[in-house]
Amino acid sequence: MARELWKGNNAVAEAALRAGLEAYFGYPITPQTELLEYLSLKMPEMGRAFVQAESELGAINMVYGAACTGKRVMSSSSSPGVSLMMEGLSYIAGTELPVVLVNVVRGGPGLGNIAPAQGDYNQMVHGGGHGDYKVLTLAPASVQEAVDLTVLAFDLAEKYRYIVGILMDGSLGQMMEPAELPPYQPLRTTYPEWAVSGAKGRERRFLSSINLDPSGQEMTNLRIFKRWQEIEKNEIRYKEYYLDDAEFVIIGFGTAGRIVLSAVRAARENGIKVGLLRPITVAPFPNKAINDLAEKVKAFLVVEMNAGQMLDDVRLAVAGKKPVEFFGRMGGVVPFADEILEQIKLLASGKIPHDQHPRDRWLAWLEKEIG
């Protein structure tokens, strides 16, 4: 199909429809409300289920019920709304159901603001509610990638009977870019053997997250964990830029990774051999790729729109082999490519003392910048 100009939120909504979304439940919250509004217009016309719930709590529990039928279901929200969904997500994980959740991140903590941020990294990658499970989390950096990953999210959710999160930020949800949408997939007419659909003519099926027997609960946890290991083996995704001869590597995801690419190109023009690794799956994280790079390069710089939440994962992946520095902005402030370029130049100069935690040097810079 031809490329068309799409707003990020609307593009994700349309991509979900084309991927076979059958039921959506959500509640409006900026900066993702356009996604819900778009589906509220389109889904009733198409004979598909759309419900604006009374709250995010209601929405995620409606998602839970609908997912038990084997339908393709989705919700979307932003930061504090996703926080309210965490208990329901844990119930969905414990019942081993395929669900897609889009989180268009805003500034926080608290109610915060509607500006773009990446402060939900820990919430999505290391959170997801109580208990032993993870959320398979995809982080697009463009409207086209958001479209592609939305379609992929439904396939991965069903392949592994798993929660798949799409971690965007407000700028990506609101920006307009050319994108090519996939063709419409026909809605399915058959559903998985585990789905509940009425027990006429067969034995009843039970789907539940409750298991009062510790041994039985441990077996469930083991099954979920082994599924996660399979995801780690098969589904890690990332993009590399200018890494063939790189002496320094910048790591950033989503919008931050996109801005980093501009800074990397500018640094290359200044003769600095620097490259970018941009994780697309932030969970599972590309640990091996980063660890392998640590054998070849001099140092790393992590750039995020938060206080360094992915930084901890990068440091674990590097495993102390090379220095890891950090640069970030918080609260909805978007870093400029020129700011990142200055950090790259400083890193390449060899003048940074690597004897302190990477956040300490960054905090000193930030206090001076905003003080």
Side-chain angles (χ1 to χ4, degrees):
M1 295 184 66
R3 299 178 78 199
E4 300 175 322
L5 194 61
W6 282 89
K7 176 179 277 192
N9 283 332
N10 292 0
V12 168
E14 179 64 26
L17 292 175
R18 295 181 183 224
L21 174 65
E22 296 169 89
Y24 173 93
F25 309 90
Y27 189 78
I29 178 174
T30 49
Q32 68 82 46
T33 301
E34 292 92 347
L35 200 162
L36 177 143
E37 289 177 337
Y38 188 93
L39 293 174
S40 73
L41 294 172
K42 297 275 286 191
M43 294 189 77
E45 294 175 355
M46 301 170 73
R48 306 186 192 185
F50 172 92
V51 178
Q52 179 180 311
E54 71 277 12
S55 68
E56 291 89 351
L57 289 168
I60 197 62
N61 283 288
M62 292 176 189
V63 166
Y64 182 15
C68 290
T69 69
K71 306 283 188 180
R72 286 199 157 185
V73 298
M74 183 179 91
S75 188
S76 62
S77 192
S78 178
S79 303
V82 175
S83 296
L84 289 170
M85 294 181 173
M86 284 299 165
E87 181 186 44
L89 288 175
S90 181
Y91 278 57
I92 290 167
T95 313
E96 301 173 74
L97 297 172
V99 161
V100 174
L101 173 66
V102 180
N103 182 356
V104 185
V105 184
R106 61 193 281 168
L111 186 60
N113 56 48
I114 63 172
Q118 294 181 328
D120 289 10
Y121 179 91
N122 280 339
Q123 182 188 53
M124 294 292 288
V125 172
H126 299 300
H130 59 282
D132 277 327
Y133 77 98
K134 293 179 179 289
V135 175
L136 198 170
T137 308
L138 307 167
S142 67
V143 173
Q144 182 64 66
E145 201 167 61
V147 167
D148 297 339
L149 293 181
T150 298
V151 176
L152 175 65
F154 285 98
D155 293 337
L156 292 176
E158 288 183 350
K159 180 179 179 180
Y160 296 104
R161 282 181 65 179
Y162 219 81
I163 301 169
V164 178
I166 300 174
L167 183 61
M168 302 167 49
D169 61 73
S171 59
L172 189 53
Q174 294 296 317
M175 71 169 58
M176 298 190 74
E177 286 188 320
E180 183 176 343
L181 275 293
Y184 272 92
Q185 297 182 20
L187 294 183
R188 296 169 302 167
T189 57
T190 60
Y191 291 94
E193 283 296 317
W194 51 262
V196 295
S197 58
K200 186 176 180 180
R202 62 165 172 80
E203 289 190 10
R204 296 169 65 189
R205 298 168 185 164
F206 293 91
L207 293 171
S208 176
S209 69
I210 188 169
N211 196 327
L212 298 180
D213 173 48
S215 297
Q217 184 67 67
E218 187 174 44
M219 289 178 65
T220 298
N221 287 5
L222 176 61
R223 185 169 58 248
I224 293 170
F225 181 72
K226 290 179 73 173
R227 199 171 298 152
W228 178 253
Q229 287 185 310
E230 189 179 350
I231 291 169
E232 286 183 312
K233 180 180 178 181
N234 298 324
E235 306 301 345
I236 291 176
R237 290 169 168 81
Y238 54 90
K239 284 197 172 182
E240 298 178 328
Y241 306 83
Y242 306 107
L243 290 181
D244 289 344
D245 65 342
E247 296 178 353
F248 305 94
V249 176
I250 320 302
I251 300 177
F253 71 94
T255 295
R258 180 182 178 132
I259 299 169
V260 165
L261 183 56
S262 296
V264 164
R265 286 171 174 156
R268 283 268 168 179
E269 292 176 0
N270 282 268
I272 302 173
K273 293 182 177 180
V274 61
L276 164 66
L277 187 144
R278 178 169 63 83
I280 295 174
T281 52
V282 284
F285 197 66
N287 292 300
K288 185 178 185 305
I290 294 171
N291 190 268
D292 289 347
L293 282 170
E295 300 286 352
K296 307 170 186 176
V297 304
K298 295 179 181 179
F300 294 83
L301 173 66
V302 178
V303 177
E304 302 181 69
M305 289 155 55
N306 58 42
Q309 296 182 18
M310 184 180 66
L311 169 65
D312 297 324
D313 289 333
V314 174
R315 296 184 77 202
L316 285 171
V318 171
K321 292 180 180 179
K322 296 292 164 59
V324 180
E325 294 298 327
F326 174 70
F327 180 78
R329 300 305 300 261
M330 301 181 291
V333 177
V334 179
F336 290 107
D338 287 348
E339 292 176 334
I340 300 168
L341 176 59
E342 289 305 310
Q343 298 298 315
I344 294 172
K345 289 178 178 178
L346 188 60
L347 186 69
S349 73
K351 296 179 181 178
I352 297 178
H354 301 301
D355 57 349
Q356 59 181 173
H357 194 283
R359 285 194 189 90
D360 293 339
R361 185 183 65 82
W362 163 71
L363 281 171
W365 175 92
L366 185 62
E367 288 177 343
K368 182 179 179 180
E369 180 72 12
I370 68 177

